[in-house]
Amino acid sequence: MLLNGDCPESLKKEEGAAELPRENGLDEGEPGDETTGQEVIVIQDTGFSVKILAPGIEPFSLQVSPQEMVQEIHQVLMDREDTCHRTCFSLHLDGNMLDHFSELRSVEGLQEGSVLRVVEEPYTVREARIHVRHVRDLLKSLDPSDAFNGVDCNSLSFLSVFTDGDLGDSGKRKKGLEMDPIDCTPPEYILPGSRERPLCPLQPQNRDWKPLQCLKVLTMSGWNPPPGNRKMHGDLMYLFVITAEDRQVSITASTRGFYLNQSTAYHFNPKPASPRFLSHSLVELLNQISPTFKKNFAVLQKKRVQRHPFERIATPFQVYSWTAPQAEHAMDCVRAEDAYTSRLGYEEHIPGQTRDWNEELQTTRELPRKNLPERLLRERAIFKVHSDFTAAATRGAMAVIDGNVMAINPSEETKMQMFIWNNIFFSLGFDVRDHYKDFGGDVAAYVAPTNDLNGVRTYNAVDVEGLYTLGTVVVDYRGYRVTAQSIIPGILERDQEQSVIYGSIDFGKTVVSHPRYLELLERTSRPLKILRHRVLNDRDEEVELCSSVECKGIIGNDGRHYILDLLRTFPPDLNFLPVPGEELPEECTRAGFPRAHRHKLCCLRQELVDAFVEHRYLLFMKLAALQLMQQKASKVENPTSLENGGLSPSESKPEDPLGSEVGSQEEGGSASGLAKVKELAETIASDDGTDPRSREVIRNACKAVGSISSTAFDIRFNPDIFSPGVRFPESCQDEVRDQKQLLKDAAAFLLSCQIPGLVKDCTDHAVLPMDGATLAEVMRQRGINMRYLGKVLDLVLRSPARDQLDHIYKIGIGELITRSAKHIFKTYLQGVELSGLSAAISHFLNCFLSSYPNPVAHLPADELLSKKRNKRRKNRPPGAADNTAWAVMTPQELWKNICQEAKNYFDFSLECDSVDQAVETYGLQKITLLREISLKTGIQILLKEYSFDSRHKPAFTEEDVLNIFPVVKHVNPKASDAFHFFQSGQAKVQQGFLKEGCELINEALNLFNNVYGAMHVEICACLRLLARLHYIMGDYAEALSNQQKAVLMSERVMGIEHPNTIQEYMHLALYCFASSQLSTALSLLYRARYLMLLVFGEDHPEMALLDNNIGLVLHGVMEYDLSLRFLENALAVSTKYHGPKALKVALSHHLVARVYESKAEFRSALQHEKEGYTIYKTQLGEDHEKTKESSEYLKCLTQQAVALQRTMNEIYRNGSSANIPPLKFTAPSMASVLEQLNVINGILFIPLSQKDLENLKAEVARRHQLQEASKNRDKAEEPMATEPEPAGASEDVGSQPQAAKDPSSPSLQG
């Protein structure tokens, strides 16, 4: 067991050294290692430098920090270009060996300038394996195949293709304005109005990927393992190598190093060859026997260390790519060995190899958390174990479905089987033993795991000491849903009936309770809004619970209190649960609810419960305040006050809570409404309840909003209401009635507030979803389940602003179609055996997307099917069905089923019976549908151009389907402290306190790095904000460096074409332009535009912003005609989505006018500027500065037009001899273009005095040095970050408003 509670240090560093060769090689320090030193926040220890003496190279110095462990110096040396080939060494200080796991500050005598000597150690079998794996990783370090295959947390990144290496360096080289001609013409398919949507540019050719061949083959030899007498000579293992010069050699790994032996492929002779070239490192040996290896390996390592670290650090969770180029399959010893040891079912037979996941998951939760350093250590440990567990569970689930794991109940039929692999328990999402019979059978069994996972997430987030949940991962793979759980100690030895001491195993017939569980769950009831309640068991006894009945409590053999089966943590959604004899509120019936769903496990999302309670709280405050005001008024003996005071206490009866809610909604939305409520809250608080009248007021208000307490606002839900089979005691009838009403109100609230609120936010462009995933996220944030998608679309269709919601409608329809197709695909795949998988998937895609009318499926060739097949084999792996029913599917049938599914599941009528009709009717793109379905189902297809519209041949062949990946849902542990810092930093920035905001966000970044390692979605947001702040404060170099990291991280963690990545590209382009790297800025913008076309298409409000950016940059480099194409497209899109009278449209007109002015086409320029002027005048009035600016510009245009006309007349009159004053056509200055770019990107400069800027930069530099000291890695970025340009650099000042140039202007006008 690696983790034991009392050893948090080894916990921090359990990677790399504490287990057998890690799956992701030891090549780069784990993300965790990079950043351990960053506890700068807690202990402000500055770094120091030590001198390293390694054999065979010059001594060099290394920056280290006292919190690092000795092991991290190892990692750094294994990553450095000149020492990377060593893995088996120790570090000595004054002749004493340093312990791997000790912190540097605990090493006696280690100080500034100490000399550490690298001493080569003898090998063991384990060290030899680690060494070979490391060499293989160094050889493959530029090869992207691991990213395409989705292994070892590798993922793709293409930023360097567009920036030509590191931005920081190029920024130094090209300081002068690059006005040398740059080719600005974008490829045809990026231009506005282009119809083609190619797929290949998604993964541009990366020059480094054509790897330099160092060796032809490096594999384990067939002579392994060494026989006994050779073991006693120190032989550890044998390798077989074919060099690039085609020389075949056999190598012995011995305790003293590597040497050539005399074996051949067919003849074993372990004696050393002569010369034997004994070397401590395999690389040194290969350097001596192969000149090509020597040359290419050196070049490869040089390239490897030049790459940005973010391109190669492992991500915390695997990201899969849905496209990949055709790859050659090369021999790879380590991969082949992995396939037989750690990858299949052998893992449980290797002692010390399996990890006790449950123990690790629970031990990390028990770590102390009293102060910041302890919490960081704890959160980091939790996060690390979760990401390892998710990776192991995913591998296990795939092994289960692929049939590589033996079931623990092999005699039962396939669906009923359960599996244990690597200390993880796996079960399939089928209804075994009619457990879910009353809830919808297999359909319920399919959704139960995700509901359960949501419950686990929630209880983990509440984080009550003493209450434990299971590690849970839900994996969808090849049409099956697999739940992976950690195993409660002792659960397998005893019967479930005996183990459950709280809850029910038969949905409420027999129910038991336990005082300790009640006490633990009581602590979660407030944050989770769960009501403590009583139910009857089969003997009619009352049992008290504080959760739903099927939540079970089991005490493990380790004495911990576990809860499992959390599938009904949240209250049921009555809109999808028809209950005979129960009427729903009018809002629901109007919308056609309740509708019977496929299963009875529909529950409200936690976000919805929270929003509902919040809404009720506002209502409560208003009711109480109104009554208090009336009382005050009546004290003043003002008899008329009651009539116009609004509700008298008697009028606000609970009969109509919703009527009053709807009224309150309008008010609460406005700031003044909230302000009033705050004021009222204070009056209520000041009354402190002693006055009997105010107590009555509170009581009335509580009753009206359905609070469970009559003295304070407290709303909770009973999760067992409407649960089939659960009975409540007579004494609770009133409470049950109120709870039923509360659930109805919540269901109505979803329809009357949340969905309209979502549509309003979309209309106002407060949220801008760009694809299915971002739309789903926006819905879920508001607590709207995906099954309401049809309702959302109905509302969009009926909205008065239907045109401004066009993009939402398109995304919604696409999502509806692909989700319906996914449901069908799931059952379709279950009927496919492994040998027919690629044929089946390509056939499905043809039916779904190809215009070819009758695609034929290719069945696997007959010779593969044995004649004497046993039809009734019981223990076939679940994925080995024997039918070929899938082959008869036709496009007509599939689309008919999709429409049916959309109607049944989403209650939305699609008007299309083929893909072409869908594309035509709803304006969808086939390539977008392909991306959506691939991401949802895990399909990976070949990167090539597909002819979807050909009516002569199907679009896909079976060679086009490369792989099918799992789709994994897991818990995301949070870095709570870091997140609080980040939020308060954002708040400060919004109030205008940039400096404080910047400090807080830097702090958050440190903490995030501490918990998550270097790669994480939240770190990405942090870097983006930092970059923006540095940009606003005029430090372009630092803005570029941070934004570059944000782009790389977004590509790696979210995906290369995720909408977030598109946004990051746009920000980076702006900072590049400001640093006058114009061609880079353009290629980044073109990349962003290509990705947006692929993900959605042209007609999106965000496209207007992107095209304005492109148009402005092109205007800056004097490509006027091109610039106009983009700007005019932006104008059209803005007009559509913001309405012709919007200020954005006025700005767009102005940008177009400026280009026409540069082209000297004054008539067009005047026409556009007039349009803009009219909008400003009507929206802002005559006296607004925008209106004045516009009218000035109109005058100036008119003068230029008149001058031009005069000159033309002069020419007409006098012919060529005319005396013409030269016309002044000026190219726009970079500063003016930059100013416009800042305006359209919503960046406002805040005037800072010179002194403030200097202080701020000094502070940033100091922090950066600390960080660098703690990172002690390639210092590639350091000079750039720590030498901010002088604040008065010429362009900076040009691009800031007047105030910024005046050093005496007051600091931050917040």
Side-chain angles (χ1 to χ4, degrees):
M1 232 300 291
L2 285 173
L3 306 185
N4 26 23
D6 52 18
C7 131
E9 276 311 339
S10 70
L11 224 176
K12 279 167 84 165
K13 291 270 70 63
E14 97 342 75
E15 336 35 83
E19 24 175 322
L20 208 88
R22 301 181 31 84
E23 266 81 67
N24 59 352
L26 289 166
D27 164 273
E28 48 250 6
E30 268 298 288
D33 302 6
E34 309 272 349
T35 46
T36 316
Q38 298 208 354
E39 275 156 5
V40 179
I41 23 156
V42 196
I43 319 123
Q44 286 287 357
D45 275 346
T46 40
F48 56 93
S49 61
V50 293
K51 217 178 188 61
I52 306 275
L53 286 181
I57 58 169
E58 291 294 305
F60 57 91
S61 71
L62 189 62
Q63 197 60 22
V64 294
S65 103
Q67 292 88 40
E68 294 197 352
M69 291 196 215
V70 176
Q71 185 192 342
E72 284 163 72
I73 300 184
H74 275 247
Q75 295 286 0
V76 171
L77 295 180
M78 282 164 57
D79 203 47
R80 269 183 72 97
E81 191 181 343
D82 46 6
T83 54
C84 65
H85 55 279
R86 302 181 184 285
T87 61
C88 185
F89 59 87
S90 55
L91 294 166
H92 289 233
L93 174 65
D94 308 331
N96 297 326
M97 180 171 141
L98 304 186
D99 169 40
H100 232 56
F101 289 109
S102 52
E103 290 198 358
L104 296 185
R105 60 176 159 210
S106 63
V107 176
E108 280 179 41
L110 184 65
Q111 66 223 17
E112 177 72 40
S114 294
V115 176
L116 290 180
R117 187 177 291 278
V118 173
V119 177
E120 297 175 342
E121 293 288 327
Y123 282 98
T124 57
V125 175
R126 175 171 178 271
E127 283 294 344
R129 277 171 190 264
I130 288 179
H131 186 78
V132 173
R133 175 182 285 272
H134 181 63
V135 170
R136 169 259 194 183
D137 281 338
L138 291 175
L139 291 173
K140 283 190 55 175
S141 55
L142 296 181
D143 174 17
S145 61
D146 279 353
F148 290 125
N149 296 331
V151 291
D152 293 346
C153 289
N154 286 321
S155 56
L156 298 167
S157 160
F158 290 99
L159 176 63
S160 54
V161 180
F162 300 98
T163 55
D164 287 334
D166 198 352
L167 288 166
D169 312 342
S170 50
K172 290 279 174 285
R173 280 200 307 278
K174 312 176 187 159
K175 239 337 170 206
L177 276 182
E178 5 161 330
M179 280 317 279
D180 40 334
I182 32 183
D183 180 28
C184 305
T185 329
E188 197 59 40
Y189 55 83
I190 288 177
L191 288 172
S194 159
R195 307 291 320 141
E196 67 170 319
R197 299 280 180 265
L199 186 57
C200 288
L202 178 60
Q203 295 184 9
Q205 278 303 300
N206 193 331
R207 288 192 304 275
D208 293 344
W209 283 359
K210 282 285 154 262
L212 299 149
Q213 198 181 34
C214 299
L215 291 174
K216 289 201 171 152
V217 176
L218 160 64
T219 68
M220 296 293 165
S221 152
W223 300 114
N224 280 317
N229 67 328
R230 287 312 305 170
K231 265 192 193 150
M232 298 165 80
H233 282 84
D235 290 11
L236 302 171
M237 62 181 187
Y238 306 117
L239 303 170
F240 175 65
V241 169
I242 303 181
T243 66
E245 296 87 358
D246 271 331
R247 175 180 172 193
Q248 303 194 1
V249 291
S250 194
I251 295 175
T252 300
S254 75
T255 49
R256 295 182 309 160
F258 294 80
Y259 62 83
L260 299 188
N261 62 37
Q262 296 177 33
S263 300
T264 64
Y266 305 111
H267 176 69
F268 180 59
N269 179 357
K271 299 276 183 292
S274 72
R276 63 177 182 167
F277 299 118
L278 174 66
S279 319
H280 190 262
S281 132
L282 182 57
V283 172
E284 288 168 354
L285 170 66
L286 293 168
N287 275 340
Q288 293 174 68
I289 61 170
S290 162
T292 316
F293 178 88
K294 186 170 185 176
K295 182 175 113 238
N296 286 355
F297 187 78
V299 176
L300 189 69
Q301 294 322 307
K302 201 171 232 63
K303 276 192 169 164
R304 179 180 66 86
V305 293
Q306 279 168 356
R307 289 176 70 198
H308 196 286
F310 282 8
E311 292 183 65
R312 50 206 183 93
I313 293 172
T315 58
F317 299 104
Q318 183 67 57
V319 177
Y320 299 102
S321 164
W322 63 279
T323 53
Q326 195 76 58
E328 311 85 63
H329 192 61
M331 268 192 183
D332 176 345
C333 61
V334 177
R335 186 188 59 216
E337 187 200 15
D338 278 351
Y340 290 109
T341 52
S342 63
R343 299 294 155 127
L344 298 184
Y346 295 116
E347 216 148 294
E348 57 265 39
H349 305 308
I350 307 172
Q353 253 304 270
T354 48
R355 293 166 64 174
D356 184 342
W357 292 110
N358 191 65
E359 187 57 30
E360 289 190 35
L361 287 160
Q362 313 310 348
T363 310
T364 49
R365 289 219 161 265
E366 287 164 349
L367 290 174
R369 43 171 153 179
K370 289 192 261 315
N371 52 29
L372 187 62
E374 284 185 352
R375 280 198 302 272
L376 287 178
L377 193 61
R378 174 176 184 266
E379 284 178 343
R380 171 201 193 123
I382 289 175
F383 184 76
K384 182 78 186 86
V385 174
H386 264 287
S387 84
D388 290 355
F389 176 69
T390 303
T394 307
R395 271 195 6 229
M398 291 168 71
V400 163
I401 297 298
D402 290 338
N404 293 337
V405 181
M406 174 91 174
I408 52 180
N409 49 347
S411 55
E412 310 215 18
E413 72 167 296
T414 315
K415 282 185 172 185
M416 320 262 296
Q417 291 178 352
M418 291 170 278
F419 305 82
I420 289 180
W421 176 89
N422 192 353
N423 276 330
I424 306 173
F425 174 78
F426 297 93
S427 53
L428 300 171
F430 292 112
D431 183 12
V432 276
R433 305 196 179 79
D434 286 341
H435 189 61
Y436 292 106
K437 193 174 67 189
D438 302 342
F439 292 86
D442 277 351
V443 186
Y446 186 83
V447 297
T450 43
N451 280 6
D452 182 36
L453 178 66
N454 284 333
V456 172
R457 277 183 187 143
T458 316
Y459 278 101
N460 276 358
V462 178
D463 210 358
V464 167
E465 228 169 299
L467 190 63
Y468 296 90
T469 55
L470 302 184
T472 308
V473 175
V474 178
V475 180
D476 289 315
Y477 178 59
R478 286 181 49 192
Y480 294 89
R481 173 159 284 181
V482 186
T483 311
Q485 291 169 312
S486 62
I487 299 170
I488 299 180
I491 183 103
L492 297 169
E493 288 98 75
R494 40 189 179 167
D495 209 22
Q496 205 183 12
E497 276 77 20
Q498 306 155 9
S499 348
V500 173
I501 58 162
Y502 171 90
S504 161
I505 54 168
D506 47 19
F507 288 103
K509 292 183 197 50
T510 48
V511 192
V512 282
S513 189
H514 188 278
R516 177 71 180 131
Y517 271 106
L518 281 176
E519 177 194 336
L520 288 168
L521 288 166
E522 180 69 49
R523 287 191 230 156
T524 64
S525 68
R526 193 169 190 108
L528 300 187
K529 325 264 188 298
I530 291 175
L531 179 68
R532 188 165 171 164
H533 58 280
R534 297 195 298 275
V535 298
L536 291 175
N537 66 12
D538 51 355
R539 294 198 291 282
D540 286 341
E541 297 154 354
E542 295 191 8
V543 181
E544 188 161 23
L545 296 176
C546 197
S547 64
S548 67
V549 285
E550 46 295 316
C551 167
K552 305 172 192 28
I554 296 182
I555 299 184
N557 283 0
D558 52 4
R560 295 187 177 109
H561 290 75
Y562 292 92
I563 50 170
L564 53 158
D565 286 350
L566 307 173
L567 53 142
R568 306 188 52 161
T569 305
F570 296 109
D573 179 352
L574 292 195
N575 288 328
F576 286 94
L577 188 69
V579 182
E582 293 287 347
E583 279 295 303
L584 282 191
E586 195 231 345
E587 290 90 336
C588 303
T589 48
R590 235 199 345 255
F593 289 112
R595 289 190 59 226
H597 202 52
R598 299 190 171 166
H599 56 83
K600 295 188 176 160
L601 295 177
C602 294
C603 41
L604 300 171
R605 295 185 65 86
Q606 186 180 10
E607 297 91 340
L608 184 91
V609 173
D610 292 345
F612 176 68
V613 171
E614 176 97 345
H615 178 246
R616 277 290 164 103
Y617 180 64
L618 285 178
L619 181 65
F620 165 77
M621 281 311 206
K622 283 184 188 124
L623 291 174
L626 275 171
Q627 298 179 31
L628 279 179
M629 278 157 38
Q630 287 159 9
Q631 284 187 6
K632 288 220 173 74
S634 59
K635 275 184 196 156
V636 192
E637 303 308 329
N638 182 349
T640 58
S641 70
L642 262 176
E643 286 86 58
N644 36 24
L647 292 171
S648 70
S650 61
E651 286 167 43
S652 77
K653 276 287 167 4
E655 270 81 286
D656 177 30
L658 280 169
S660 48
E661 262 180 50
V662 178
S664 68
Q665 200 188 325
E666 283 84 40
E667 226 183 306
S670 65
S672 62
L674 283 174
K676 267 192 214 140
V677 167
K678 280 222 176 64
E679 194 181 309
L680 306 171
E682 280 152 25
T683 27
I684 293 176
S686 63
D687 271 344
D688 70 15
T690 44
D691 174 1
R693 290 170 86 175
S694 63
R695 242 178 303 171
E696 187 191 346
V697 166
I698 305 273
R699 194 175 314 119
N700 287 335
C702 282
K703 196 169 170 201
V705 295
S707 162
I708 58 166
S709 142
S710 60
T711 53
F713 177 83
D714 188 1
I715 283 192
R716 300 191 193 186
F717 291 91
N718 175 345
D720 285 329
I721 299 275
F722 296 128
S723 205
V726 177
R727 299 173 306 142
F728 298 100
E730 276 301 314
S731 55
C732 306
Q733 289 315 311
D734 286 357
E735 181 189 290
V736 170
R737 193 193 61 234
D738 292 347
Q739 280 292 322
K740 287 184 174 177
Q741 186 55 46
L742 203 57
L743 284 179
K744 293 175 185 175
D745 294 348
F749 170 75
L750 197 156
L751 295 170
S752 64
C753 290
Q754 295 305 87
I755 294 183
L758 168 74
V759 174
K760 182 176 185 309
D761 283 346
C762 292
T763 318
D764 301 342
H765 303 300
V767 290
L768 275 174
M770 207 180 284
D771 68 345
T774 41
L775 176 67
E777 195 183 324
V778 165
M779 284 174 64
R780 288 173 181 149
Q781 281 166 357
R782 284 160 185 69
I784 305 168
N785 311 68
M786 288 315 290
R787 57 177 174 269
Y788 286 99
L789 182 58
K791 285 289 159 268
V792 173
L793 289 176
D794 282 339
L795 199 60
V796 166
L797 274 178
R798 296 203 307 272
S799 159
R802 162 76 183 81
D803 283 351
Q804 293 176 30
L805 290 167
D806 205 29
H807 60 301
I808 302 291
Y809 188 62
K810 270 187 202 160
I811 296 170
I813 292 282
E815 186 70 348
L816 200 86
I817 290 175
T818 45
R819 275 177 184 265
S820 302
K822 178 187 80 171
H823 296 169
I824 296 164
F825 184 67
K826 182 191 85 194
T827 33
Y828 171 87
L829 266 195
Q830 289 179 4
V832 179
E833 61 172 358
L834 199 48
S835 60
L837 210 51
S838 55
I841 294 174
S842 60
H843 180 61
F844 183 90
L845 289 175
N846 279 328
C847 294
F848 182 43
L849 293 171
S850 173
S851 303
Y852 182 66
N854 38 4
V856 180
H858 297 279
L859 288 170
D862 283 338
E863 74 269 14
L864 294 176
L865 302 176
S866 92
K867 295 282 173 282
K868 295 196 292 262
R869 194 113 185 244
N870 170 6
K871 277 283 175 267
R872 298 288 322 128
R873 286 216 337 271
K874 254 189 163 168
N875 49 1
R876 274 204 320 267
D882 268 339
N883 65 18
T884 47
W886 57 268
V888 297
M889 174 185 271
T890 63
Q892 296 75 21
E893 180 195 358
L894 173 62
W895 275 91
K896 197 171 126 212
N897 289 344
I898 287 177
C899 294
Q900 222 167 340
E901 182 69 12
K903 184 71 189 149
N904 295 345
Y905 194 90
F906 298 105
D907 193 24
F908 191 86
S909 310
L910 287 172
E911 267 118 50
C912 52
D913 46 30
S914 70
V915 64
D916 294 313
Q917 210 173 342
V919 166
E920 187 62 36
T921 315
Y922 299 109
L924 306 174
Q925 305 185 138
K926 288 187 179 180
I927 191 99
T928 304
L929 291 172
L930 175 64
R931 170 179 177 265
E932 293 283 355
I933 190 85
S934 303
L935 290 175
K936 285 181 180 53
T937 53
I939 301 171
Q940 185 185 53
I941 57 160
L942 180 63
L943 186 73
K944 67 169 208 187
E945 300 312 339
Y946 291 95
S947 48
F948 295 110
D949 298 335
S950 156
R951 303 195 58 79
H952 305 299
K953 66 174 206 306
F956 299 89
T957 67
E958 46 194 296
E959 300 309 310
D960 296 333
V961 179
L962 298 184
N963 210 337
I964 183 157
F965 290 124
V967 177
V968 185
K969 301 180 177 67
H970 54 83
V971 177
N972 267 318
K974 287 276 172 270
S976 50
D977 290 291
F979 194 62
H980 294 318
F981 271 102
F982 182 62
Q983 282 183 314
S984 33
Q986 276 181 312
K988 280 276 183 248
V989 170
Q990 278 160 359
Q991 293 157 13
F993 300 114
L994 292 198
K995 189 171 167 188
E996 291 90 330
C998 201
E999 283 177 13
L1000 283 165
I1001 287 164
N1002 260 317
E1003 197 77 348
L1005 184 60
N1006 270 340
L1007 297 176
F1008 276 138
N1009 275 331
N1010 238 304
V1011 174
Y1012 296 141
M1015 281 270 158
H1016 196 270
V1017 183
E1018 287 170 23
I1019 299 181
C1020 185
C1022 218
L1023 287 165
R1024 177 194 330 151
L1025 191 52
L1026 266 181
R1028 193 159 179 130
L1029 284 173
H1030 283 296
Y1031 179 72
I1032 291 176
M1033 295 180 315
D1035 186 348
Y1036 295 159
E1038 189 64 357
L1040 259 184
S1041 154
N1042 280 317
Q1043 188 57 35
Q1044 179 189 14
K1045 290 179 189 160
V1047 175
L1048 286 171
M1049 201 173 295
S1050 185
E1051 287 193 306
R1052 294 280 322 276
V1053 182
M1054 301 180 85
I1056 51 173
E1057 77 304 345
H1058 190 279
N1060 187 70
T1061 307
I1062 301 178
Q1063 304 261 336
E1064 303 296 8
Y1065 264 100
M1066 285 165 67
H1067 294 311
L1068 185 60
L1070 172 65
Y1071 309 153
C1072 278
F1073 185 88
S1075 314
S1076 54
Q1077 300 179 26
L1078 308 189
S1079 56
T1080 309
L1082 261 180
S1083 58
L1084 293 170
L1085 287 169
Y1086 287 154
R1087 170 70 171 170
R1089 191 170 209 275
Y1090 165 72
L1091 292 176
M1092 204 187 293
L1093 289 172
L1094 178 83
V1095 166
F1096 177 82
E1098 201 159 51
D1099 192 16
H1100 191 280
E1102 197 65 357
M1103 191 57 98
L1105 175 61
L1106 184 50
D1107 282 352
N1108 273 330
N1109 273 302
I1110 297 178
L1112 272 166
V1113 176
L1114 287 169
H1115 185 197
V1117 294
M1118 304 198 291
E1119 288 275 355
Y1120 301 134
D1121 291 336
L1122 252 185
S1123 168
L1124 272 178
R1125 287 184 70 169
F1126 287 102
L1127 289 176
E1128 289 183 323
N1129 187 55
L1131 176 60
V1133 174
S1134 285
T1135 312
K1136 170 174 176 178
Y1137 283 108
H1138 296 282
K1141 300 266 184 298
L1143 295 175
K1144 283 204 165 142
V1145 178
L1147 180 60
S1148 226
H1149 278 299
H1150 173 64
L1151 298 179
V1152 175
R1154 284 177 37 151
V1155 183
Y1156 276 123
E1157 176 199 9
S1158 301
K1159 288 181 68 178
E1161 294 181 17
F1162 295 113
R1163 181 169 291 149
S1164 307
L1166 274 167
Q1167 189 183 339
H1168 278 289
E1169 191 55 47
K1170 272 188 190 126
E1171 295 270 349
Y1173 173 71
T1174 322
I1175 296 175
Y1176 283 135
K1177 200 166 100 180
T1178 48
Q1179 297 282 3
L1180 304 171
E1182 294 273 2
D1183 305 328
H1184 194 276
E1185 56 176 324
K1186 285 270 188 231
T1187 323
K1188 288 181 178 156
E1189 271 173 34
S1190 181
S1191 85
E1192 284 302 306
Y1193 185 57
L1194 274 172
K1195 279 185 198 134
C1196 154
L1197 281 176
T1198 318
Q1199 284 161 5
Q1200 281 175 287
V1202 171
L1204 178 71
Q1205 200 51 52
R1206 228 182 254 133
T1207 315
M1208 298 309 267
N1209 295 346
E1210 182 82 5
I1211 294 175
Y1212 286 138
R1213 266 207 306 282
N1214 304 349
S1216 54
S1217 64
N1219 170 17
I1220 311 166
L1223 278 172
K1224 294 206 234 2
F1225 292 143
T1226 49
S1229 72
M1230 284 302 142
S1232 72
V1233 173
L1234 187 59
E1235 196 177 335
Q1236 291 295 339
L1237 277 171
N1238 290 329
V1239 172
I1240 61 169
N1241 289 297
I1243 289 181
L1244 301 168
F1245 283 100
I1246 296 192
L1248 281 176
S1249 71
Q1250 209 53 42
K1251 195 160 123 272
D1252 280 337
L1253 271 175
E1254 293 307 323
N1255 294 349
L1256 195 92
K1257 288 185 176 167
E1259 171 66 17
V1260 168
R1262 191 178 68 77
R1263 272 175 187 274
H1264 198 84
Q1265 271 161 339
L1266 284 176
Q1267 266 180 12
E1268 282 303 315
S1270 68
K1271 269 198 189 149
N1272 71 36
R1273 234 203 354 246
D1274 353 353
K1275 301 280 182 298
E1277 309 133 314
E1278 193 180 354
M1280 171 181 109
T1282 47
E1283 305 159 12
E1285 315 164 17
S1290 56
E1291 304 149 85
D1292 293 14
V1293 180
S1295 67
Q1296 294 185 2
Q1298 259 338 96
K1301 296 179 193 165
D1302 168 19
S1304 64
S1305 77
S1307 127
L1308 292 177
Q1309 294 160 1

